Amino acid sequence: MVKVSVPATSANLGPGFDTLGVALDLRNIIEMSETGILDVVIETNGHGEALERPENNMVYLAAVKLFERLDYQPHGLLIREEIGIPVARGLGSSAAAIVGGLVAGNSLVQQMTGRPGLSQAELLAMAVAIEGHPDNVTPAMVGGFTVCCLDEVRGLLHVRFDPPRGLQAVIVMPEVPFTGKKTEKSRGVLPTEVSLKDAVYNLNRTALLVAALAQGRVDLLSVATQDRLHQPYRASLVPGLRSVFQAALDAGALGAALSGAGPSVLAFVEGNAEPVAVAMEGAFQWAGSDARSLVADLAMEGVKVLVGPGASSSDGAHVDRAPYWG
Ligand code: HSE
């Protein structure tokens, strides 16, 4: 049996569309083992039958791609998922499933065969190919803040660095009805061309955001999280988005952004999480959506093998601070 822990992530962080991401200390735990009986069994902690069907389960589908790549045929598979990352809320649940499935599958092949398996870089390249964009799977794999670039010749290039100490994320999740392919729908409202003025606006903010985070200049985050490439268009899918940003800043947040493709909103805070969460929930409610919130530390570590080849600690213990649920 192998067991991995994989973090939630927030992509874009405002201006860094398809480029920036951060890992959050809110995790899914995945166990994978061979049963000896040629069958696939998937168990989740109460997330319903649909997610437990192999054809819908991204952990399983990613693991199958890994097994194919390594030319390995497992003898029956049992996957147990303890899902702590809210599904389809813009918190990287599909990236976590892909990264978790690839890393668990890789560790299982190593355990069963003694072969070396794939490197982290090879696993990350597979994860990007499956997900289609790199900004969630990269921090899910390596933790911290990540800057990604998909180069036509060199493939994925990324730089990871630690977030400033003490910075936390308030995540507010509105109950807006996203059904089916949520990210696809949220990308579908984006324009195919933008003005030079808007492109320059985002270049300014993206560069400022990376420099501010790298140097701990949290005073710059309110401007550095502004965006004109995707959030203004996605506001049509997330009622109250602008007023939620404003409510977060008015309550003392350092900066605020749509988390990934939404619908959740992330606000950066330093120690004043609760009033920010309450203000953001209130703004969503004013706009007609019930909302719930959580506060998460930023995660220094990405996916971790807890049990199995490549485990990062001998006893498999891993303790995360429990998230605060509002
Ligand atoms: N960069 C992607 C998007 C993230 O904004 O569509 C999706 O989670």
Side-chain angles (χ1 to χ4, degrees):
M1 186 272 277
V2 300
K3 187 171 175 177
V4 307
S5 158
V6 61
T9 49
S10 183
N12 303 328
L13 306 179
F17 182 69
D18 279 0
T19 302
L20 302 182
V22 66
L24 304 170
D25 244 341
L26 178 68
R27 289 173 177 268
N28 287 354
I29 307 292
I30 299 163
E31 278 182 24
M32 198 178 281
S33 54
E34 290 194 28
T35 55
I37 306 158
L38 277 179
D39 199 4
V40 178
V41 177
I42 300 171
E43 296 171 1
T44 62
N45 55 334
H47 278 71
E49 218 178 283
L51 207 59
E52 294 180 350
R53 279 193 221 117
E55 67 273 22
N56 295 334
N57 187 282
M58 288 304 298
V59 171
Y60 170 73
L61 295 173
V64 166
K65 284 196 189 293
L66 187 282
F67 296 145
E68 283 168 6
R69 168 86 177 260
L70 292 177
D71 198 17
Y72 181 73
Q73 173 73 56
H75 294 279
L77 208 55
L78 170 62
I79 296 174
R80 285 205 174 109
E81 295 176 50
E82 195 184 306
I83 298 176
I85 304 171
V87 176
R89 297 287 96 186
L91 296 171
S93 59
S94 72
I98 293 166
V99 168
L102 290 174
V103 171
N106 196 46
S107 187
L108 190 67
V109 175
Q110 290 174 286
Q111 189 175 66
M112 301 306 287
T113 65
R115 284 157 50 189
L118 298 185
S119 67
Q120 186 188 67
E122 289 168 322
L123 292 168
L124 186 51
M126 278 188 82
V128 174
I130 297 170
E131 175 89 324
H133 48 86
D135 46 341
N136 285 111
V137 292
T138 306
M141 188 71 85
V142 302
F145 275 106
T146 55
V147 181
C148 292
C149 172
L150 275 181
D151 180 69
E152 282 168 10
V153 178
R154 293 178 60 183
L156 175 70
L157 303 174
H158 75 276
V159 174
R160 176 214 175 280
F161 58 93
D162 281 347
R165 286 173 79 84
L167 201 59
Q168 287 183 304
V170 173
I171 310 285
V172 183
M173 296 167 280
E175 301 293 338
V176 297
F178 268 113
T179 49
K181 296 193 177 299
K182 192 238 348 151
T183 300
E184 224 168 81
K185 185 174 172 197
S186 186
R187 291 177 85 87
V189 299
L190 304 182
T192 50
E193 291 178 10
V194 297
S195 68
L196 183 62
K197 205 171 150 198
D198 286 353
V200 171
Y201 182 98
N202 268 57
L203 278 173
N204 289 179
R205 270 74 183 170
T206 306
L208 190 67
L209 181 54
V210 173
L213 292 172
Q215 300 212 342
R217 289 287 310 277
V218 296
D219 59 301
L220 299 175
L221 295 182
S222 61
V223 171
T225 49
Q226 292 170 342
D227 160 71
R228 284 192 185 161
L229 291 190
H230 69 108
Q231 292 178 171
Y233 307 99
R234 288 172 162 173
S236 62
L237 301 174
V238 186
L241 184 62
R242 283 186 201 87
S243 56
V244 174
F245 289 161
Q246 196 56 53
L249 296 174
D250 290 347
L254 297 161
L258 189 66
S259 186
S264 298
V265 175
L266 171 147
F268 287 117
V269 294
E270 256 182 348
N272 57 338
E274 194 156 351
V276 171
V278 169
M280 293 168 74
E281 282 180 29
F284 265 129
Q285 274 151 9
W286 186 256
S289 307
D290 278 338
R292 63 193 176 114
S293 62
L294 64 88
V295 180
D297 287 339
L298 307 184
M300 305 293 167
E301 290 185 283
V303 65
K304 286 177 36 147
V305 180
L306 304 178
V307 177
S312 43
S313 65
S314 53
D315 60 0
H318 176 74
V319 179
D320 275 318
R321 274 183 47 181
Y324 154 80
W325 289 88

